[in-house]
């Protein structure tokens, strides 16, 4: 978001030089391990920079507010019933296509992962069966190395924004922050191929986060008619050429992605509502639910088709499924104690995981700053370490004899089954190899399996938990598409099952259900989600009897985690420098007014309703504002004493001023234009285009002396607040309505008083910026904490 009312925007080059200078001074507060990935510019009139992908980018806000100018009103009045029906039909059609394409791509990703990883593991199993351990290790490590190389090279060289889960950037976008290059066609393709390579390589990451990003990319591309360079100019799509409708589509895409990851339609909708979406309404609820319903149908059809081995190794597996609808679930009042313990453990470990990951991401940032080669080497180093651990650690586990009463074949030498033989003799299995020498989805199914009280040994589960804690910390942050859901599920399920074993006969709850509750507790402790997680796990287990204890675990874990640090996604948003506005204002924000904020900003730049071209060009060249108040002299009756009074007509956007200059819509004399004069030169479709830059517009010396009537393009319904309003109240209004500009009006209006005091933007309402300008608020904040 380029600062809308800052006359001295600092270039990115100067910013980075200043950052290096601070490090050279040795100030401990400026140490790279104790500050965000981007050092903040602690002034209200700052030019916000954020780390998006591999680049430090200037960040702009999105115009979610309806710009009600004369052209918009005319276009709205002239729409026929057929055009209104076209708009409604297209909204639902795009929601359907988002769900359909997300479901198809999720199926293809699962199919590819199951086959690539499955055949790789079958070859390794054959080597081990022949006791060719070194050859098996070389093949296993080489295959994982090459798969990681493909995924990382694509991210590093073609689409740096495809690395990571993408969920924090989606949260920022739906909050009103334009994250550059996050939803492009290249990012989508790299995300798909990179997810297949990274997950097939056995890295401790999931495809769930990338699927959310994939759904958002599909929604964005459909809404704008394709990639930027090859957009469809279909007449119907003009209705969606605005940030507001694009936001709704991306919300549908993110919920479809969660549904595709967990086969959880209601959970996907609630995830969008609870975690990523800032702005919500009932009509959007219907469309997101429709999109997730389409995803579920596509996934169900693909699973039915692949059940008969028609898709290679993709059959029963490929999706995290854990159906315990036929399991008789029994628990009593005494079981509340271990369930409460699980919740506390989940909250503590989740917050500790967030803290450690925070530190590791800072270190990774120092490595990644050195260039593409270092990024690639970091990813490959993690791959080699992961392969060595996955291959070597099962040799530490002892062989367990098979239970003759089992209906399932034991040991398992084929492609599915809970009992991997590994290097054990006939009639024995290796429980640690069962969890490590398989795909991540199958590992979840194995550790969640019920009615298997003696299948996994305590020692093996301890090694599994410790390994995935280490791998989860060091894998997230490398230059590959990665998700946090699956690593956290595996860690949580491990200590959940360990607690179930420790409880023994003192509990009636199955060990597999303890694993489910453990996974839920760690996810709530790290991600701080409750409602959506509860529904996702209920849809996974297909057993409503789990509802009471699942709710208890989630509530306890979130409460405990909130006592230590924010959620993992909030930490990542802060590290990247994305100007995300929190839902709840700080308590000290009630002690300061918006008028006081306006006083510490540069004077507001205003334009007249009929302005000289030269004045407009001068303002655009010398400021980085994205909005300008339009002020007119107030018309008063002849003989009235109220002379010199001015009135606020509205707000005109920078993009619309550049459009006027490009269209050469100039007047020879200072006068108001007629409605028909405007319509024959500019249309509402033109107003939606934001790609024209001032540098591309040439204005002659003679044209500089001409005039422009700004009234037809001025938003006459801009949101305003009185200067006496508290910052806390203004922040809530700004966030919930989805504003880009908020005009501050004086309490007293009269002759000689400016009708507008200033403009508040997203950057002005961020807590750290306010505290930099008003340090006494920081002291008040500290004293309250100490009481």
């Amino acid at each position: 978001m380029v600062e809308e009312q800052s006359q001295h925007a600092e270039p990115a080059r100067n910013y980075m030089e200043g950052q290096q200078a601070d490090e050279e001074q040795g100030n401990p507060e400026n140490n790279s391990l104790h500050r965000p990935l981007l050092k903040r510019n602690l002034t209200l009139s700052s030019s916000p920079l954020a780390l998006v992908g591999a680049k430090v980018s200037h960040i702009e806000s999105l115009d979610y507010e309806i710009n009600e100018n004369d052209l918009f009103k005319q276009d709205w009045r002239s729409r026929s019933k057929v055009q209104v029906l076209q708009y409604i039909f297209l909204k639902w059609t795009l929601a359907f296509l988002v769900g359909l394409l997300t479901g198809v791509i999720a199926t293809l990703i699962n199919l590819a992962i199951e086959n690539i990883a499955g055949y790789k593991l079958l070859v390794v199993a054959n080597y081990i069966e022949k006791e060719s351990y070194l050859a098996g290790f070389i093949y296993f490590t080489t295959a994982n190395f090459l798969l990681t190389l493909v995924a990382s090279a694509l991210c590093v060289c073609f689409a740096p924004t495809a690395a990571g889960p993408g969920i924090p950037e989606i949260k920022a976008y739906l909050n009103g922050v334009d994250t550059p290059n996050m939803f492009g066609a290249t990012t989508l393709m790299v995300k798909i191929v990179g997810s297949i390579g990274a997950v097939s390589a056995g890295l401790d990451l999931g495809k769930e986060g990338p699927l959310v990003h994939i759904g958002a990319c599909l929604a964005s591309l459909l809404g704008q008619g394709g990639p930027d360079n090859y957009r469809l100019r279909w007449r119907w799509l003009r209705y969606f050429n605005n940030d507001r409708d694009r936001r709704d589509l991306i919300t549908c895409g993110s919920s479809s992605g969660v549904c595709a990851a967990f086969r959880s339609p209601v959970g996907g909708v609630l995830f969008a509502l609870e975690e990523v979406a800032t702005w919500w309404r009932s009509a959007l609820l219907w469309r997101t639910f429709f999109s997730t319903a389409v995803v579920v149908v596509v996934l169900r059809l693909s699973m039915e088709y692949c059940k008969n081995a028609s898709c290679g190794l993709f059959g029963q597996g490929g999706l995290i499924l854990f159906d315990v609808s036929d399991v008789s679930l029994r628990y009593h009042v005494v079981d509340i104690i271990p369930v409460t313990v699980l919740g506390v453990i989940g909250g503590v470990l989740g917050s500790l995981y967030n803290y450690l990951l925070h530190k590791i991401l800072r270190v990774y940032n120092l490595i990644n700053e050195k260039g593409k080669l270092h990024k690639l080497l970091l990813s490959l180093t993690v791959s080699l370490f992961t392969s060595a651990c996955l291959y070597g650690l099962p040799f530490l586990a002892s062989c367990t004899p098979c239970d003759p009463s089992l209906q399932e074949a034991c040991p398992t030498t084929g492609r599915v089954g809970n009992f991997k033989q590994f290097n054990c003799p006939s009639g024995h299995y290796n429980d640690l190899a069962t969890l490590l020498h398989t795909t991540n989805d199958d590992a979840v199914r194995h550790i969640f399996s019920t009615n298997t009280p003696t299948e996994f040994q305590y020692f093996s589960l301890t090694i599994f938990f410790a390994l995935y804690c280490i791998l989860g910390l060091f894998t997230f942050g490398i230059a590959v598409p990665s998700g946090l859901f699956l690593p956290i599920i595996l860690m949580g399920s491990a200590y959940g099952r360990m607690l179930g074993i420790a409880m023994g006969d003192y509990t009636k709850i199955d060990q597999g259900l303890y694993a489910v509750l453990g996974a839920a507790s760690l996810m709530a402790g790290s991600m701080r989600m409750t409602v959506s997680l509860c529904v996702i796990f209920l849809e996974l287990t297909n057993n409503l009897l789990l509802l009471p204890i699942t709710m208890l675990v989630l509530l306890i874990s979130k409460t405990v985690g909130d006592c230590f640090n924010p959620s993992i996604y909030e930490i990542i948003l802060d590290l990247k420098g994305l100007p995300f506005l929190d839902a709840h204002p700080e308590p000290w924000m009630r002690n300061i007014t918006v008028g006081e904020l306006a006083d510490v900003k540069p004077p507001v730049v205003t334009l007249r309703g009929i302005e000289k071209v030269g004045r407009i060009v001068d303002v655009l060249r010398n400021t980085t504002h994205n909005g300008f108040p339009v002020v007119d002299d107030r018309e008063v009756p002849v003989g009235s004493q109220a002379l010199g009074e001015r009135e606020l007509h509205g707000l005109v956007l920078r993009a619309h001023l550049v459009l006027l200059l490009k269209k050469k819509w100039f007047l020879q004399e200072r006068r108001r234009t007629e409605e028909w004069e405007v319509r024959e030169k500019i249309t509402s479709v033109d107003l939606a285009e934001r790609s024209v830059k001032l540098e591309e517009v040439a204005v002659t010396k003679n044209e500089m002396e001409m005039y422009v009537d700004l009234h037809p393009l001025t938003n006459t319904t801009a949101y305003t607040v009185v200067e006496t309003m508290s910052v806390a109240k203004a922040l809530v209004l700004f966030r919930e309505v989805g504003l880009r500009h908020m005009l501050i009006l004086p309490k007293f209006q009269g002759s000689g008083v400016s009708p507008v005091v200033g403009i508040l933007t997203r950057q002005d309402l961020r807590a750290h910026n306010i505290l930099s300008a008003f340090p006494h608020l920081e002291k008040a904040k500290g004293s309250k904490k100490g009481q």
Side-chain angles (χ1 to χ4, degrees):
M1 178 190 66
V2 176
E3 176 60 37
E4 282 83 349
Q5 285 295 339
S6 167
Q7 296 188 2
H8 305 285
E10 186 180 13
R13 179 172 55 84
N14 294 342
Y15 167 85
M16 298 306 292
E17 291 175 357
Q19 185 183 39
Q20 294 172 1
D22 285 335
E23 291 176 0
E24 292 173 358
Q25 291 174 5
N27 186 342
E29 291 184 1
N30 293 326
N31 188 301
S32 57
L33 296 182
H34 299 279
R35 59 173 172 76
L37 297 184
L38 285 177
K39 180 187 169 187
R40 293 184 174 121
N41 194 338
L42 299 181
T43 60
L44 273 177
S45 57
S46 62
S47 179
L49 298 159
L51 191 67
V52 182
K55 295 182 179 180
V56 177
S57 306
H58 285 275
I59 299 298
E60 297 207 13
S61 289
L62 296 165
D63 290 304
Y64 288 154
E65 182 186 356
I66 296 177
N67 197 350
E68 293 188 356
N69 52 36
D70 292 347
L71 283 174
F72 170 83
K73 293 174 183 177
Q74 173 60 30
D75 178 67
W76 188 260
R77 288 193 298 265
S78 62
R79 286 190 184 183
S80 63
K81 288 185 178 181
V82 174
Q83 290 175 318
V84 173
L85 290 175
Q86 285 177 354
Y87 173 63
I88 296 173
F89 173 77
L90 193 57
K91 279 200 299 187
W92 287 93
T93 302
L94 291 177
F96 170 79
L97 291 176
V98 167
L100 177 66
L101 294 176
T102 303
V104 170
I105 290 176
T107 301
L108 294 177
I109 289 175
N110 282 289
L111 192 150
I113 290 173
E114 289 291 312
N115 282 282
I116 294 172
Y119 283 114
K120 175 192 70 177
L121 292 170
L122 284 176
V123 173
V124 173
N126 290 333
Y127 277 117
I128 293 175
E129 190 175 354
K130 298 175 184 177
E131 299 186 355
S132 300
Y133 300 120
L134 181 60
F137 175 72
I138 293 174
Y139 174 83
F140 184 70
T141 304
T142 304
N144 291 342
F145 183 90
L146 293 176
L147 288 168
T148 306
L149 178 63
V150 171
S152 185
L154 286 174
C155 287
V156 169
C157 300
F158 297 101
T161 52
I167 294 178
E169 289 82 357
I170 295 172
K171 282 190 65 170
Y173 184 91
L174 297 178
N175 189 256
V177 181
D178 188 10
T179 47
N181 305 316
M182 277 304 299
F183 306 111
T186 306
T187 302
L188 173 63
M189 296 307 300
V190 171
K191 200 81 175 185
I192 295 172
V193 179
S195 298
I196 294 172
V199 178
S200 300
L203 296 174
D204 184 21
L205 45 83
K207 56 185 179 296
E208 295 75 27
L211 277 173
V212 177
H213 192 185
I214 287 169
C217 287
L218 288 170
S220 177
L221 291 170
L222 286 170
Q224 68 181 18
D228 292 333
N229 299 331
Y230 305 98
R231 288 173 58 185
L232 296 175
R233 300 293 177 178
W234 191 28
R235 183 170 168 268
W236 283 20
L237 285 175
R238 75 181 189 275
Y239 300 131
F240 293 87
N241 198 8
N242 62 82
D243 294 334
R244 194 181 182 91
D245 283 308
R246 193 178 178 210
R247 171 188 62 186
D248 290 353
L249 274 175
I250 289 177
T251 305
C252 291
S254 61
S255 60
S256 298
V258 174
C259 177
F262 296 104
R263 199 171 59 89
S264 172
V266 180
V269 174
L270 292 176
F271 174 83
L273 172 61
E274 181 180 9
E275 184 62 22
V276 297
T278 298
W279 189 83
W280 198 264
R281 67 180 190 276
S282 58
L284 183 58
L285 178 70
W286 279 102
R287 269 187 287 153
T288 52
F289 185 64
F290 176 61
S291 294
T292 56
V294 174
V295 174
V296 168
V297 171
V298 173
L299 293 179
R300 175 57 65 184
L301 290 175
S302 64
M303 290 171 62
E304 291 294 330
Y305 177 76
C306 293
K307 268 186 177 179
N308 299 323
S310 304
C311 306
L313 299 181
F314 179 74
Q316 296 286 342
L319 293 167
I320 297 179
L321 301 176
F322 176 58
D323 191 342
V324 293
S325 56
D326 56 345
V327 176
S328 57
L329 181 62
R330 294 178 298 166
Y331 50 88
H332 303 286
V333 177
V334 293
D335 292 322
I336 294 179
I337 297 175
V339 169
T340 303
V341 171
L342 265 181
V344 174
I345 293 174
V348 173
L349 289 182
S351 58
L352 178 62
Y353 180 81
N354 292 357
Y355 174 79
L356 295 175
L357 189 61
H358 188 193
K359 300 299 180 184
I360 290 173
L361 288 177
R362 295 180 191 277
V363 178
Y364 278 10
N365 180 65
L366 299 178
I367 299 173
N368 293 336
E369 281 180 352
K370 296 181 179 180
K372 296 181 178 179
L373 181 60
H374 288 79
K375 284 186 175 183
L376 200 59
L377 291 175
L378 177 61
S379 302
L380 296 178
T381 302
V382 172
S383 174
L384 291 174
F385 176 72
T386 302
S387 299
C389 292
L390 294 180
Y391 188 87
L393 287 177
F395 288 97
L396 300 178
S398 59
C399 295
T400 306
C402 295
D403 188 348
S405 63
L406 289 173
Q407 297 180 354
E408 183 181 349
C410 177
T412 304
T413 56
R415 60 188 182 185
V416 293
N418 266 32
F419 306 95
K420 299 291 183 184
Q421 185 172 2
F422 198 63
N423 63 329
C424 293
S426 179
H428 293 70
Y429 72 95
N430 188 311
D431 59 339
L432 188 54
T434 298
L435 298 175
L436 297 183
H437 278 242
T438 185
T439 62
N440 288 339
D441 288 355
D442 283 335
V444 172
R445 270 187 294 277
H446 296 332
I447 202 167
F448 278 5
S449 58
T450 55
N451 299 320
T452 53
T454 60
E455 178 179 344
F456 298 103
Q457 305 301 314
Y458 209 89
F459 176 73
S460 298
L461 289 173
T462 303
I463 293 179
F464 179 80
F465 173 70
L467 173 64
Y468 272 89
C469 283
I470 296 171
L471 293 182
L473 289 171
F474 287 100
T475 305
F476 187 81
I478 63 176
V480 294
S482 57
L484 281 168
F485 282 93
L486 204 80
I488 291 177
I489 287 176
L490 290 172
M491 285 186 282
S493 59
Y495 73 71
R497 190 155 191 126
M498 290 164 64
L499 181 63
I501 294 175
M503 292 298 297
D505 296 332
Y506 292 100
T507 181
K508 300 295 183 181
I509 303 177
D510 190 274
Q511 291 179 15
L513 300 181
Y514 267 111
V516 175
L517 295 175
S521 70
L522 190 59
M523 289 184 75
S526 177
M527 300 180 179
R528 311 293 157 80
M529 295 184 292
T530 53
V531 179
S532 56
L533 276 182
C534 184
V535 174
I536 286 173
F537 274 94
L538 286 180
E539 290 181 297
L540 281 176
T541 58
N542 198 21
N543 194 329
L544 279 175
L545 293 175
L546 274 174
L547 179 61
I549 53 176
T550 304
M551 291 173 63
L552 181 63
V553 162
L554 292 173
L555 289 172
I556 294 174
S557 298
K558 183 185 184 305
T559 304
V560 173
D562 284 337
C563 296
F564 296 99
N565 51 30
S567 73
I568 186 61
Y569 293 132
E570 291 179 23
I571 290 174
I572 296 172
L573 282 168
D574 182 66
L575 286 174
K576 288 179 174 290
L578 292 167
F580 185 87
L581 292 182
D582 294 321
H584 304 290
E586 299 287 346
W588 50 264
M589 288 184 176
R590 300 195 180 278
N591 301 330
I592 184 173
T593 65
V594 294
E596 293 176 274
L597 288 187
D599 290 339
V600 298
K601 294 188 62 175
V604 63
V605 179
T606 62
L607 297 173
R608 291 181 175 273
I610 302 173
E611 190 61 86
K612 247 188 176 182
V613 174
R615 161 72 173 161
I616 294 176
V617 173
D618 182 64
V619 166
L620 293 177
R621 284 177 179 171
N622 295 297
T623 67
T624 56
H625 309 356
N626 274 309
F628 302 91
V630 177
V631 176
D632 279 334
D633 293 328
R634 181 176 296 177
E635 297 181 4
V636 295
V638 179
S640 174
Q641 297 297 321
L643 299 177
E645 290 190 6
R646 294 182 296 166
E647 63 180 5
L648 176 65
H649 185 72
L651 187 79
V652 64
L653 299 181
R654 182 186 192 90
H656 294 170
L657 293 175
V658 176
L659 176 67
L660 288 176
L661 297 179
K662 179 188 176 184
K663 293 282 189 178
K664 304 288 184 181
W665 192 55
F666 305 145
L667 304 172
Q668 295 291 341
E669 67 278 355
R670 184 187 293 271
R671 67 175 179 85
R672 294 285 293 262
T673 54
E674 299 294 334
E675 196 174 282
W676 61 270
E677 291 182 273
V678 184
R679 290 202 306 270
E680 71 178 10
K681 193 73 176 180
I682 302 174
T683 65
S684 58
V685 177
D686 295 327
L687 295 182
E689 295 294 337
R690 304 293 172 84
S691 57
V692 182
K693 297 181 179 179
L694 180 63
E695 293 76 14
E696 302 171 2
V697 179
V699 182
T700 65
K701 188 175 181 180
N702 291 333
E703 290 172 339
M704 289 284 197
E705 300 300 321
M706 300 175 73
Y707 297 92
V708 174
D709 183 12
L710 300 180
H711 294 97
L713 276 69
T714 301
N715 179 14
T716 57
T717 60
Y719 281 86
T720 61
V721 295
V722 182
E723 60 182 342
T724 53
M725 178 180 284
S726 69
V727 172
K729 194 172 183 180
L731 174 61
V732 172
L733 174 64
F734 194 98
R735 186 183 189 273
E736 290 187 354
V737 181
L739 302 182
R740 184 173 187 173
H741 310 93
M742 179 182 283
L743 299 180
I744 306 173
L745 303 185
K747 183 179 180 180
F748 171 78
Q749 298 181 2
S751 178
V753 178
S754 174
V756 57
V757 174
I759 289 183
L760 287 184
T761 63
R762 171 179 299 270
Q763 197 70 6
D764 301 327
L765 293 170
R766 300 197 69 198
H768 69 83
N769 269 353
I770 299 174
L771 290 175
S772 67
F774 300 93
H776 67 279
L777 294 174
E778 177 70 31
K779 296 177 183 177
K781 173 186 174 185
S783 64
K784 285 184 179 180
K785 282 187 176 181
Q787 289 177 356

